[in-house]
Every structure is written in C-alpha cells, then in structure tokens.
Amino acid sequence: MTLDRLGRPLRDLRISVTDRCNFRCVYCMPKEVFGSDYRFLDRKELLTFEEIERVASVFVGLGVNKLRLTGGEPLVRKDVERLIALLAPLGAELTLTTNASLLAPKAKALAAAGLNRVTVSLDSLDDETFQAMNDVDFPVARVLEGIDAAAAEGLPVKVNAVVKRGLNEHAILDMARHFRGSGHTLRFIEYMDVGATNGWRLDDVVPAAEIVERIAAEFPLEPVDPGYRGEVAKRWRYRDGAGEIGLIASVTQPFCGDCTRSRISAEGRLYTCLFGLRGHDLRALVRGGATDEELRDRIAGIWGKRTDRYSELRTEATSSLPKVEMSYIGG
Ligand SMILES: C[S@@+](CC[C@H](N)C(=O)[O-])C[C@H]1O[C@@H](n2cnc3c(N)ncnc32)[C@H](O)[C@@H]1O
Ligand code: SF4
C-alpha cells in the first residue's frame, strides 16, 4: 500500500486520453473559451496507448485497483478500445466516463475489449435544458440509446448529472423518476469550482441535501452505508425498493479525508488533486528511458508527499486561485 502524508492509500487512477470533446458543456468547456482558436494538445504530445499501459501498470503495482478512462471525451480518441484491451490484463477494475454521444456504435467493441462498467453523463431529460447545457444541440435520445446499448452488452451503467442552480434544478425529479427501477444508479454532482473558465459561483451550487429533499418529497428515501473507504457518493435507497441514488457533494460535504485518487492528463502529467495546479511530468520520464523501478519510485515519492485537501480548505481566497481545466486533467 502506498500512503500519502495524511494516511490515504493510492487506489484509483483516472486517465485522461484526450483534452478534446465534441460537447461544450457550459460548466466545463464554455464556447467562449474553447472556441476555434483554443490550442488543444497535438497528437504527438499525447501519451501513446503503449505509454499509458506502461504507466498504468506501475500504478497497479503501487496498489491502484481502479482505472478510469476520461477526458475530454474519451470516445473521441481514435481506437480507444485498443487501449482498453491493453489495460484489461492489468487486473484492475476498468471503467470509462463518457457523454455517450458515441457510445451506441462503440458499446460492443468496448465490452469485448474488457471494459467492466461505464459512467454516462446526462444532466437533463428534456432537450431544451440538455442542449442549453451541452451547447452543441446534442439530443437526449442519442444519450439514452448509448445507455441502452451499453446495458445490452452487459455493462453496468451509472448516470451522472451535474446540477447547476437556475439551469437544471427542475430536471432532478424527472431524472429520478426515469431512472428509478431501471437498474442504472443515478448520481447527482454538485457543481464544482474546477477550472477557471466556467465562472463558478457558490450561489450556482445546489447542495446535495436539497437534492435529496426534493426527491424524498415524492419518493421516500433512506441512507445506505458506504460500500468501501473512499466511496465519494453518499448513497440513498428508495424505500419502495426501486434502487439507489448517489450524491457527490464535493462542495458542501468535501471528502478529501478519504480521497484515494490520482489523475494523469492526456500529455502524461500526474495530479494528486483535481485542484492541483502544475502536475508532475511523467511523460518526460517515460520518453527519457526511465526504468519501471525509476517510474515507480517517482510516483510513490509524489504520492508519499501528498497533503492536498483543497475542497476542505476552500474559502473565498482559495476559490480565486488559478486552476487547471477539468477537460484537461480528466474529470
Ligand atoms: C470532464 S467530464 C469527462 C468525461 C466525459 N466527457 C463526460 O462528460 O462524461 C467528467 C465528468 O465531470 C463532470 N463535470 C465537468 N465539469 C464539472 C463541474 N464544474 N462541476 C462538477 N462536475 C463537472 C461532467 O459532468 C462529467 O460527469
Ligand atoms: S463535461 Fe464531458 S462532455 Fe461536457 S464538455 Fe466536459 S468533457 Fe465534454
């Protein structure tokens, strides 16, 4: 086990496979910033699939048991299923977070390559609200097709919805109603102050407690004990047996004390906190001929010094600090 200074083990690695995306969600990649003159990473700057596999295998050797591919939109990276096939033999749980725009045609290949589960982001079930959020006129129906295609391949599906005050609060109950009894766990995420481009304000956050209250008023809920240390979603079950929901309350109930996650950006920079600023360049080591032992010592050294707990310390002062974008670091 590799522990940081606060005794937190290194358990999860989130791998951003691209900083690009075909959506422009207003809370993540606002068009005004991520427009035609935005400089995305060049192909040669990205870690290759073989480089990712090598780095991931070192992380697994240090105790990581969960790998998540993310981005940007991971399914826009060409042949991402080939990466999944390379990672599957490492034996860690292998998951993917996606906007599902390309999931329906890809689900079969992803499952065959060894993907274990998928998390789909969907913020509303009505096109007007969803399109106001994805900002590229993408229809809800195609996301639902992606969810169905993944489920048909036997992949367990979680659905994540970011709630932003004044934008999709009204969608909370619709979503709960739709996914109750579907077998897919719905999770609501508090709008976070990641990145510097989305103009985040505390007033835009709908607290998890309010989301639970709204749902429980129509469908009574009871709390469920966490499944394991570091489970970030607070779980609630419908009293009538129609399944569970989760709440990711990173703003109102930060969970830094149990955070076991590391992230690598698409160009191979290691971040030990979503709110880290600079990251550590692993690509230079990999391309500079470092041995596996050298890589392992470097990563263990970085984790061993980790003291990050931004969300617990968040104040007016820290929220105005410069931050790295979620589409770059990997959500
Ligand atoms: C950055 S995206 C990357 C993967 C993929 N493109 C997707 O949307 O699922 C990962 C997750 O981060 C969430 N996210 C992005 N910006 C956020 C913010 N400011 N606050 C909370 N969640 C956010 C998204 O809704 C999504 O569920
Ligand atoms: S949340 Fe995902 S789908 Fe939306 S802009 Fe960010 S990376 Fe793209």
Side-chain angles (χ1 to χ4, degrees), residues 21 23-25 27-29 72 99:
C21 185
F23 282 16
R24 285 293 175 272
C25 301
Y27 50 75
C28 181
M29 296 181 78
N99 62 25

Side-chain angles (χ1 to χ4, degrees), residues 32 57 64 66 90 93 101 104 111 115 140 144 150 152 238-239 248 252 263 266 289 292 311 317-318:
E32 312 81 70
S57 75
V64 161
K66 211 172 184 183
L90 297 179
E93 187 187 46
S101 57
L115 190 69
V140 172
L144 296 177
Y238 293 109
R239 282 185 189 270
I248 302 179
T252 62
R263 298 177 147 83
D292 282 358
S311 289
T318 52

Side-chain angles (χ1 to χ4, degrees), residues 27-28 70-73 97-98 121 162 190-192 194 198 326:
Y27 50 75
C28 181
T70 178
E73 171 48 44
T97 303
T98 176
S121 305
V162 173
E190 286 178 349
Y191 174 44
M192 268 188 293
V194 273
N198 60 13
M326 187 106 145

